[in-house]
Amino acid sequence: MQDQDYELIDTHAHLAFEPLIDDLNAVLDRSRAAGVTKCITVGTKTEENRRSVEIAQKYDGLYATVGIHPHYAKDVTEPDITELEILSQNEKVVALGETGLDFHYNFSAQPAQIELFKKHLEVAAKVNLPVIIHSREAFNETLEI
């Protein structure tokens, strides 16, 4: 790699997904070799949020977000939201999400997606973190919320 006058930051990686997490050291080595100096691994469900925070704590330059993707809204419980808030207070967590609305696939009913999105926004306001929003075929609804 050549010397460069800029810093590359991967702001949306899913390092807790298989097979990446199974080969994480090599994945991070390849990223660094390509000039990526920092990385944010994005959570999409409760188990993955835990893994994202755990791996972020192990590596310099690696940060996490915690969230529940709208695809999983139908399965969310109050304990999931409580854990989301607890995890969001970790020093390596830099945002809430990935959350929002996906009216293309509708793997979860739209009212469940809307309720979950609102809960994410409430937690984000409470812990003073930005939100990573997923919006597919739901632009107006996302803006309204």
Side-chain angles (χ1 to χ4, degrees):
M1 183 182 85
Q2 297 178 341
D3 289 337
Q4 53 198 32
D5 293 331
Y6 54 88
E7 182 176 22
L8 295 177
I9 301 170
D10 185 340
T11 62
H12 196 107
H14 289 286
L15 299 177
F17 281 9
E18 291 181 9
L20 297 178
I21 197 165
D22 297 330
D23 196 25
L24 189 57
N25 287 324
V27 169
L28 294 174
D29 287 345
R30 288 191 303 273
S31 293
R32 283 189 286 275
V36 176
T37 60
K38 292 182 177 69
C39 184
I40 300 171
T41 185
V42 177
T44 63
K45 54 186 171 182
T46 301
E47 177 71 24
E48 183 188 327
N49 290 332
R50 291 182 204 128
R51 287 193 308 259
S52 292
V53 172
E54 286 173 12
I55 62 176
Q57 290 177 306
K58 291 180 184 178
Y59 297 92
D60 289 336
L62 185 59
Y63 301 90
T65 74
V66 292
I68 302 170
H69 194 282
H71 288 340
Y72 308 116
K74 68 182 179 300
D75 301 319
V76 173
T77 64
E78 275 307 311
D80 292 324
I81 301 302
T82 300
E83 184 169 355
L84 185 75
E85 184 173 339
I86 292 166
L87 288 171
S88 71
Q89 296 174 53
N90 184 285
E91 65 184 19
K92 294 291 287 252
V93 173
V94 295
L96 269 280
E98 176 171 1
T99 185
L101 305 173
D102 192 314
F103 292 174
H104 177 78
Y105 289 109
N106 284 313
F107 289 144
S108 289
Q110 292 180 7
Q113 292 183 52
I114 290 168
E115 180 181 340
L116 179 61
F117 185 29
K118 288 178 179 179
K119 287 182 180 182
H120 276 82
L121 296 176
E122 290 168 5
V123 172
K126 186 174 182 179
V127 299
N128 195 32
L129 286 174
V131 179
I132 296 175
I133 297 174
H134 172 100
S135 180
R136 186 164 188 191
E137 294 184 19
F139 181 80
N140 292 331
E141 295 85 351
T142 300
L143 285 181
E144 183 180 313
I145 292 169

